[in-house]
Amino acid sequence: MPYEKDFCASCNRLRVSSVGKLHLCLFGDGGVDLRELLADDAQQQALEERIAEALTHKKQTHFLHQGNTGITQNLSYIGG
Ligand code: SF4
């Protein structure tokens, strides 16, 4: 259950939405736009660099205990 202690402890979850946004947490804010890089095979290196840079901002947990669900009011919003 997401409220259990250590639920996020070994998180390696990422999600790319149907509109090409990389979400670092299912309950995170915003998202990193990958769409134009995903659409062009010549941009593979730039895609990898953008994902690697985004990962440096991945939080270690969600903020549900503070009532913050990020943009995810409903997991169906990002296809989950
Ligand atoms: S709530 Fe966010 S940080 Fe926690 S396990 Fe899920 S995706 Fe990972």
Side-chain angles (χ1 to χ4, degrees):
M1 298 299 291
Y3 283 102
E4 286 181 7
K5 183 177 177 295
D6 299 330
F7 177 76
C8 303
S10 60
C11 176
N12 62 1
R13 294 171 176 84
L14 299 172
R15 169 117 2 143
V16 178
S17 72
S18 60
V19 294
K21 291 239 181 188
L22 173 66
H23 296 272
L24 302 170
C25 171
L26 296 180
F27 297 102
D29 290 325
V32 177
D33 195 10
L34 302 179
R35 189 178 179 117
E36 84 275 10
L37 300 178
L38 288 168
D40 183 353
D41 287 344
Q43 296 296 318
Q44 178 72 30
Q45 183 67 35
L47 175 64
E48 291 176 17
E49 289 171 4
R50 188 168 298 178
I51 293 170
E53 202 283 325
L55 284 172
T56 67
H57 303 288
K58 183 169 171 58
K59 305 284 191 262
Q60 294 191 345
T61 185
H62 58 64
F63 296 95
L64 296 176
H65 290 94
Q66 290 95 356
N68 184 349
T69 60
I71 61 167
T72 308
Q73 305 300 318
N74 185 321
L75 287 178
S76 65
Y77 177 79
I78 57 172

